Amino acid sequence: MDGTLKVAIMQPYFLPYIGYWQLMCNVDVFVLYDDIKYTKKGWINRNRFLLNGKPEYFTLPLKNDSDYLDIRQRQISDKFDKEKIIRRFYNAYRNAFFFHEGKYLLDEIFNCEEKNLFQFIYNSIEKIRILLCITSCLVLSSTLDIPRQLKGQDKVIAICKVLGATDYINLIGGMALYDRNFFSAQKIRLHFQKTCSFQYKQYHYEFVPNLSIIDSIMFLGQKKLKEKLSEIELC
């Protein structure tokens, strides 16, 4: 051990793009926010896959409930048709070279009987983490002893401190949210991860980036995708 402890914190997204998994792979502790408010327009219960060369959304439908509930308090709709969404994936990727790897993963994920939104997503994260051989420790934010009223940067700092983090890594899209000098004053090094640009063949179509990890698994397969996890830049 070199005395460093790298931490990342993310919302629980459903089948997120490869950058999410690269971030998880390159830290020691990956914290999942389960005690923050659910937001409708984010990526918590939706993502995109490739359909006829175009990005298409897929969604986990939720029960109607209060807009003030945390992610871990939301429930998946009883009308959720798992077979329908699985068929959409099958039809879109049935001719992909690694279809059988992707099909096995999809079956594992959607066979989960959990109705709680967070638990359903957490199960999918665990399945993909195992597939990609990611060994980082997963921690739920609700289990950490920090003041619940904290928000944004202050909450991140509190989590880092309670975990004993020396380094905090965030996806590069969050650069405007954090102050490097503020982190430095707390004796925590702040880094931003940039996913190195790479493309792969998506049938005969022009490449569509940043789709669900399912797309990458279907076209690259487990072995090649694992190699891509370390291809990042930190700034």
Side-chain angles (χ1 to χ4, degrees), residues 48-56 88-89 92-93 202-203 205-208 211-212 215 219:
R48 303 181 307 157
F49 71 112
L50 189 74
L51 183 63
N52 299 322
K54 303 293 182 182
E56 179 79 8
R88 293 180 72 200
F89 277 108
Y93 292 105
Q202 295 169 323
Y203 299 130
Y205 303 116
E206 182 178 350
F207 181 69
V208 180
L211 298 179
S212 165
D215 186 83
F219 290 117

Side-chain angles (χ1 to χ4, degrees), residues 19-223:
Y20 191 96
W21 306 100
Q22 289 174 318
L23 181 63
M24 184 185 296
C25 182
N26 289 286
V27 296
D28 303 298
V29 180
F30 190 86
V31 178
L32 283 168
Y33 274 138
D34 64 329
D35 58 350
I36 61 172
K37 181 181 171 183
Y38 167 79
T39 53
K40 292 181 179 179
K41 296 183 179 181
W43 297 95
I44 294 170
N45 62 313
R46 67 172 186 159
N47 217 296
R48 303 181 307 157
F49 71 112
L50 189 74
L51 183 63
N52 299 322
K54 303 293 182 182
E56 179 79 8
Y57 282 98
F58 60 90
T59 304
L60 294 176
L62 303 183
K63 286 186 177 180
N64 292 328
D65 218 325
S66 169
D67 290 338
Y68 297 97
L69 293 180
D70 287 347
I71 295 171
R72 60 180 174 164
Q73 297 173 308
R74 296 304 302 261
Q75 300 292 318
I76 295 173
S77 172
D78 292 331
K79 298 179 181 179
F80 176 36
D81 189 341
K82 294 182 180 180
E83 293 301 319
K84 182 177 179 180
I85 193 172
I86 288 175
R87 285 196 302 271
R88 293 180 72 200
F89 277 108
Y90 288 178
N91 290 335
Y93 292 105
R94 61 179 176 237
N95 294 318
F97 192 73
F98 295 96
F99 171 73
H100 291 292
E101 286 187 20
K103 179 182 182 298
Y104 176 81
L105 179 62
L106 286 168
D107 291 343
E108 286 278 294
I109 289 170
F110 285 102
N111 281 335
C112 177
E113 296 298 326
E114 182 62 61
K115 288 291 187 178
N116 177 271
L117 173 63
F118 177 79
Q119 292 299 331
F120 190 89
I121 294 175
Y122 185 80
N123 174 72
S124 69
I125 288 173
E126 281 285 23
K127 298 294 185 188
I128 298 170
R129 185 168 79 107
I130 292 170
L131 177 75
L132 299 179
C133 302
I134 298 174
T135 59
S136 307
C137 177
L138 289 189
V139 173
L140 306 188
S141 59
S142 63
T143 67
L144 299 175
D145 186 18
I146 63 169
R148 179 152 169 78
Q149 70 272 18
L150 292 177
K151 304 291 183 184
Q153 184 169 253
D154 291 331
K155 188 169 187 175
V156 170
I157 290 290
I159 290 174
C160 286
K161 283 188 172 183
V162 80
L163 291 172
T166 59
D167 298 76
Y168 176 68
I169 305 177
N170 200 85
L171 293 177
I172 199 163
M175 285 190 76
L177 300 176
Y178 304 113
D179 182 344
R180 201 182 296 269
N181 291 331
F182 184 75
F183 275 76
S184 181
Q186 308 298 319
K187 302 188 185 315
I188 300 168
R189 291 182 290 267
L190 174 63
H191 312 273
F192 294 97
Q193 173 187 296
K194 179 181 179 181
T195 298
C196 294
S197 177
F198 73 95
Q199 296 187 12
Y200 49 87
K201 189 174 181 180
Q202 295 169 323
Y203 299 130
H204 59 279
Y205 303 116
E206 182 178 350
F207 181 69
V208 180
N210 299 332
L211 298 179
S212 165
I213 192 67
I214 295 298
D215 186 83
S216 302
I217 291 169
M218 291 289 190
F219 290 117
L220 289 176
Q222 176 199 32
K223 183 178 179 181

